Amino acid sequence: MYAYIEGIVEEVTEKYAVIDNQGIGYEIYMPSASLSKLVHHENIKIYTYYSSTDNGTFLYGFLTKEEKRLFLLLISVSGVGPKGAMAILSVLSPEDLTYAIIGENVKAITAANGIGTKAAQKIIVELKDKLDLGETIENSLAKGQALNDSSTGSMKNNVLSGLTALGFSSGDAIKALNEVEIDENTTEETLLKAALLKLKR
């Protein structure tokens, strides 16, 4: 019904933002990470999804088309509704979520409020083949951000590219990277060596 709404940020709460478009205030529910980026009185475009159920009518909003695309994929999974999808996107960025699904990282997905192990496993099974890892890496590097922060994300992306070039599957490579603990002293070289050790176990 609404592809997007462009207007002025009038109010931001813990769950939704009010966007003024030509004198009409739209209450739009958004992931918490997106809400934290909104600035009062700035003009912004929010990509929206209109939902009408027995529980009420809601507008869900996203700062990027990719975030909205992942939301639509999540709610296509049986048992995952809009609120569950929003909970997941509140704890995982689009890049994080893609890595979690392809790398079969159940723990990362269950960090979302109300998402249990069975639901996370179902999300992985149903969406794993619908995500493009290469596109995600390119987008992450283009934006200078990925799994945790810009530096860590770029480093992981570079190491992941190196591991796949060595012949490892992207799924196995991501699982290995997820198992490596990273701190401020971690470099691409040490990360690559640690991941290789886990892959050769």
Side-chain angles (χ1 to χ4, degrees):
M1 185 175 183
Y2 301 101
Y4 65 83
I5 291 175
E6 185 171 358
I8 304 297
V9 179
E10 287 294 335
E11 181 182 358
V12 180
T13 73
E14 291 183 359
K15 294 184 178 181
Y16 64 84
V18 176
I19 306 299
D20 183 313
N21 176 276
Q22 297 183 359
I24 299 175
Y26 292 89
E27 186 176 278
I28 304 176
Y29 288 79
M30 302 175 68
S32 57
S34 298
L35 287 169
S36 68
K37 296 176 182 178
L38 299 183
V39 178
H40 284 280
H41 306 307
E42 77 168 345
N43 189 76
I44 193 166
K45 176 187 283 187
I46 297 178
Y47 299 94
T48 55
Y49 173 79
Y50 175 83
S51 172
S52 182
T53 67
D54 293 339
N55 296 322
T57 300
F58 301 92
L59 264 180
Y60 296 96
F62 314 93
L63 294 180
T64 66
K65 290 183 179 179
E66 176 63 9
E67 194 173 44
K68 180 179 177 179
R69 185 181 76 86
L70 286 171
F71 171 84
L72 293 175
L73 283 174
L74 286 168
I75 63 174
S76 74
V77 177
S78 176
V80 179
K83 289 185 179 180
M86 293 296 283
I88 293 171
L89 290 170
S90 287
V91 297
L92 295 171
S93 70
E95 292 85 1
D96 292 341
L97 179 57
T98 300
Y99 276 83
I101 292 172
I102 294 176
E104 300 179 13
N105 190 346
V106 172
K107 184 178 180 181
I109 300 173
T110 56
N113 186 35
I115 302 298
T117 300
K118 288 185 178 180
Q121 291 172 336
K122 194 168 187 179
I123 288 169
I124 289 169
V125 169
E126 294 193 22
L127 300 185
K128 187 174 181 180
D129 294 332
K130 296 181 180 180
L131 298 173
D132 187 335
L133 180 62
E135 182 180 341
T136 298
I137 292 174
E138 289 178 7
N139 290 340
S140 297
L141 293 175
K143 292 188 295 184
Q145 62 181 15
L147 299 176
N148 295 313
D149 56 57
S150 58
S151 58
T152 299
S154 295
M155 180 169 61
K156 282 193 173 184
N157 283 331
N158 290 338
V159 172
L160 176 60
S161 296
L163 290 171
T164 54
L166 290 172
F168 295 102
S169 72
S170 57
D172 288 341
I174 291 173
K175 287 179 185 177
L177 286 171
N178 284 337
E179 293 177 6
V180 177
E181 291 189 11
I182 297 178
D183 58 32
E184 64 275 7
N185 297 316
T186 303
T187 65
E188 283 189 17
E189 182 179 359
T190 59
L191 180 58
L192 177 61
K193 289 180 179 178
L196 283 170
L197 286 174
K198 293 187 179 296
L199 284 165
K200 293 177 179 179
R201 286 185 306 191

